[in-house]
């Protein structure tokens, strides 16, 4: 077919070029496949958000083993510990649902960020001790590969409680319990208090209690975001939406008194997308109610408390939002770096906020003066009428100050006994409560999250026994009172 050696040579050259072209094409295709594989493998490393399960962006998955209602620090702590205890990646599929994408009204980030062991209840002391240890070693727990280390800005300046003659004996009892459980706390007489903190007016003070270790304050947003980023790197799903209802199965059961009750089991959680009528039902096995100030509303959706009064079905979850104001003041003659987190027996608190003579202060109102919770507006008259007179009496340098800012946030306030509610409801056997902390949830979130996961996965508490915080105490009308509520 070829005429002469010239034609044959031309064929050979053409064939060689064609083969080179084919090889280049094949190699290029192979390299693109390798590149895609390497990118996928890198994405599957810890710290990525890759998952083999296809999820529509913005929508929750159709199924999850555990749905956590509330993406505050408590919800993300539970999510982290669930993944921490799983044996295989995505062995437990966890979804966190948060209704506020901006976190602008989240109690976690609007708190003062304090942590202390100066409580009266053993459970609260142990929780805060364990959480303080977690926070001091936070990068061992919440560090993410290829991300910057977590900087909590943990300030170890301690808490300083001031007691009047009436409550000094209670302070001594609390001190004994705290020391027995390992808290590093000392008692100070008025003279010792004045020597250590000369800017305090000691009139009316009989005794003071000061935390030497594991107490102070940190940045709340950093902790929340650290839990969130770590949990998501471990495979937790996040969805911004609002839980609007539940779909349950039920069966009748007879009590020892011969009464019949309906036992519910949640099958689906309905999640509505932000600014939309669209919603996604999520099939699940377990629901964790970590909705904070909204947790009572979530329980109400299940009919908890809708039964006849004085019956098991008629007792609601006693958690409601309570608004608290935080004021930022500038006082050039204030105590500066020597300032601990001070709690006066009159009710006001004060701590340093950064440098440059800035402080934050506030106090809880009387029960009859609780502010409107329909918004987060700040009542500035409350500072001038209630807080400032007490503040400048106890701390004379604060007679000269300027209010430079203020904000408000919600407590998940337990109206029954101002303590946590941790565990299940007897009539809804697959919803776990983790709520009602009444102002000290942030500081206890690392240890509480672990305890709740022990309850879910192990069937009981393994590290710190929180059975005293079970919902049953509300049914039996047996409050457990914490004497150091701020």
């Amino acid at each position: 077919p070829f005429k002469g050696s010239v034609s044959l040579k031309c064929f050979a050259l053409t064939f060689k070029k064609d083969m080179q072209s084919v090889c280049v094409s094949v190699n290029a295709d192979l390299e693109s496949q390798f590149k895609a594989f390497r990118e996928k493998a890198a994405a599957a490393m810890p710290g990525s958000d890759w998952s083999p399960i296809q999820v529509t962006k913005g929508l929750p998955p159709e199924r999850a083993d555990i749905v956590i209602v509330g993406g505050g620090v408590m919800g993300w702590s539970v999510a982290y510990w669930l993944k921490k205890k799983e044996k295989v990646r995505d062995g437990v599929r966890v979804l966190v649902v948060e209704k506020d994408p901006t976190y602008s009204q989240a109690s976690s980030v609007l708190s003062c960020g304090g942590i202390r062991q100066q409580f009266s209840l053993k459970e609260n002391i142990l929780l805060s001790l364990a959480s303080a240890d977690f926070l001091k070693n936070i990068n061992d727990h919440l560090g993410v590969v290829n991300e910057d280390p977590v900087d909590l800005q943990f300030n170890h300046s301690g808490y300083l409680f001031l007691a009047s003659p009436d409550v000094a004996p209670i302070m001594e009892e609390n001190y004994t319990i705290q020391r027995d459980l390992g808290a590093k706390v000392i008692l100070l007489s008025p003279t010792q208090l004045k020597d250590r903190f000369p800017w305090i007016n000691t009139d009316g003070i009989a005794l003071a209690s000061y935390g030497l270790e594991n107490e102070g304050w940190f940045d709340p947003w950093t902790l929340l975001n650290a839990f969130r980023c770590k949990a998501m790197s471990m495979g937790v799903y996040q969805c911004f939406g609002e839980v609007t209802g539940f779909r349950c199965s039920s069966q009748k059961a007879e009590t020892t008194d011969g009464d019949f009750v309906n036992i519910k089991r949640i099958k689906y959680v309905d999640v509505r997308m932000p600014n939309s009528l669209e919603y996604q039902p999520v099939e699940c096995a377990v629901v964790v109610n970590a909705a904070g100030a909204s947790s009572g509303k979530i329980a109400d959706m299940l009919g908890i408390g809708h039964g006849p009064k004085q019956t098991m079905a008629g007792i609601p979850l006693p958690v409601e939002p309570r608004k608290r104001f935080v004021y930022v003041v500038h006082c050039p003659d204030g105590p500066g770096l020597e300032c601990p987190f001070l709690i006066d027996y009159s009710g006001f608190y004060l701590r340093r906020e950064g440098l440059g003579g800035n402080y934050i202060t506030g106090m809880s109102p009387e029960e009859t003066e609780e502010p409107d919770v329909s918004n987060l507006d700040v009542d500035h008259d409350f500072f001038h009428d209630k807080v400032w007179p007490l503040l400048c009496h106890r701390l004379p340098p604060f007679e000269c100050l300027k209010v430079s800012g203020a904000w408000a946030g919600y407590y998940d306030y337990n109206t029954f006994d101002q303590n946590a509610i941790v565990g299940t409801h007897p009539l809804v056997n697959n919803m776990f409560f983790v709520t009602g902390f009444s102002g000290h949830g942030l500081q206890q979130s690392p240890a509480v999250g672990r305890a709740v996961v022990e309850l879910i996965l192990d069937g009981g508490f393994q590290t710190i026994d929180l059975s005293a915080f079970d919902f049953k105490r509300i049914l039996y009308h047996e409050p457990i009172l914490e004497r150091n509520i701020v």
Side-chain angles (χ1 to χ4, degrees), residues 5 14 19 43 103 106 180 224 337 361 391 393 437:
S5 59
T14 303
M19 287 303 294
Y103 281 92
D180 288 346
L224 187 153
L337 294 175
T361 185
L391 177 62
H393 168 72
F437 292 86

Side-chain angles (χ1 to χ4, degrees), residues 163-174 187 206-207:
S164 66
D166 292 340
V167 298
I170 296 174
M171 178 175 280
E172 290 183 292
E173 293 174 15
N174 293 346
L187 294 179
L207 193 64

Side-chain angles (χ1 to χ4, degrees), residues 51-118:
S51 169
I53 301 169
Q54 296 297 317
V55 180
T56 304
K57 284 290 185 182
L59 290 175
E62 294 181 358
R63 292 176 299 279
D65 296 306
I66 300 173
V67 174
I68 299 172
V69 184
V73 69
M74 200 63 74
W76 281 111
S77 174
V78 172
Y80 161 75
W81 285 107
L82 283 168
K83 303 305 284 187
K84 181 76 172 176
K85 287 179 71 72
E86 73 177 359
K87 305 301 182 184
V88 180
R89 182 182 171 91
D90 223 34
V92 180
R93 195 187 301 188
V94 181
L95 170 67
V96 176
V97 181
E98 168 57 39
K99 67 179 181 179
D100 181 10
T102 66
Y103 281 92
S104 61
Q105 296 191 4
S107 298
S108 299
V109 300
L110 295 173
S111 88
C112 294
I115 181 168
R116 59 187 168 101
Q117 286 79 55
Q118 295 186 62

Side-chain angles (χ1 to χ4, degrees), residues 104-287:
S104 61
Q105 296 191 4
S107 298
S108 299
V109 300
L110 295 173
S111 88
C112 294
I115 181 168
R116 59 187 168 101
Q117 286 79 55
Q118 295 186 62
F119 290 97
S120 63
L121 287 177
K122 175 186 71 174
E123 290 82 2
N124 284 330
I125 298 168
L126 292 175
L127 284 172
S128 288
L129 279 169
S131 293
D133 183 70
F134 183 97
L135 297 181
K136 288 192 298 183
N137 301 283
I138 192 166
N139 282 289
D140 294 340
H141 303 287
L142 303 184
V144 177
V145 175
N146 297 328
E147 296 291 341
D148 293 335
V150 179
D151 180 11
L152 271 184
Q153 302 172 49
F154 194 164
N155 188 300
H156 298 263
S157 292
Y159 265 69
L160 178 65
F161 279 82
L162 307 179
S164 66
D166 292 340
V167 298
I170 296 174
M171 178 175 280
E172 290 183 292
E173 293 174 15
N174 293 346
Y175 165 80
T176 301
I177 298 170
Q178 293 155 13
R179 294 286 295 186
D180 288 346
L181 293 173
K184 300 297 187 291
V185 183
I186 59 171
L187 294 179
L188 301 173
S189 68
T191 301
Q192 292 170 322
L193 178 66
K194 192 70 175 178
D195 289 341
R196 194 157 192 159
F197 305 103
W199 39 273
I200 294 178
N201 173 14
T202 58
D203 289 351
I205 296 174
L207 193 64
S209 177
Y210 182 48
L212 300 176
E213 292 182 17
N214 300 322
E215 291 194 341
W217 58 89
F218 56 88
D219 181 45
W221 168 248
T222 301
L223 179 61
L224 187 153
N225 203 43
F227 267 125
R228 174 177 166 271
C229 291
K230 182 64 174 182
M232 291 180 68
S233 78
M234 300 167 81
V236 172
Y237 297 96
Q238 173 184 245
C239 170
F240 290 115
E242 184 174 4
V243 171
T244 58
F246 300 92
R247 306 181 196 183
C248 308
S249 63
S250 64
Q251 62 180 27
K252 285 190 178 295
E254 187 175 0
T255 68
T256 54
D257 296 331
D259 298 327
F260 286 92
V261 294
N262 280 322
I263 307 295
K264 293 183 179 180
R265 184 168 186 82
I266 301 168
K267 295 291 187 180
Y268 292 88
V269 179
D270 288 336
V271 182
R272 188 177 65 194
M273 300 302 99
N275 305 313
S276 172
L277 296 178
E278 181 183 13
Y279 75 92
Q280 170 83 37
V282 181
E283 186 179 4
C284 62
V286 171
V287 175

Side-chain angles (χ1 to χ4, degrees), residues 404-449:
S404 57
W407 73 84
Y410 294 122
Y411 274 10
D412 55 337
Y413 193 82
N414 176 355
T415 60
F416 182 68
D417 60 11
Q418 293 81 62
N419 269 304
I421 301 172
V422 178
T424 59
H425 189 282
L427 299 183
V428 186
N429 59 16
N430 65 334
M431 172 175 273
F432 289 79
F433 296 128
V434 52
T435 186
F437 292 86
S438 306
H440 50 269
L442 175 77
Q443 63 179 288
Q444 296 179 347
S445 58
V448 171

Side-chain angles (χ1 to χ4, degrees), residues 293-353:
S294 300
S295 56
K297 178 182 175 182
I298 297 297
D300 185 73
M301 292 178 188
L302 284 162
I304 293 174
H306 289 194
K309 291 185 177 181
Q310 307 304 319
T311 68
M312 191 184 302
I315 297 177
L317 180 68
V319 178
E320 64 183 31
R322 293 281 180 98
K323 187 162 70 173
R324 296 292 180 262
F325 307 119
V326 181
Y327 304 95
V328 183
V329 300
H330 178 70
C331 178
D333 298 322
L337 294 175
E338 297 180 355
C339 184
F341 204 131
L342 184 146
I343 312 292
D344 189 62
Y345 64 78
S346 64
F348 84 84
Y349 65 83
L350 176 101
R351 75 159 173 84
R352 180 169 54 82
E353 175 68 358

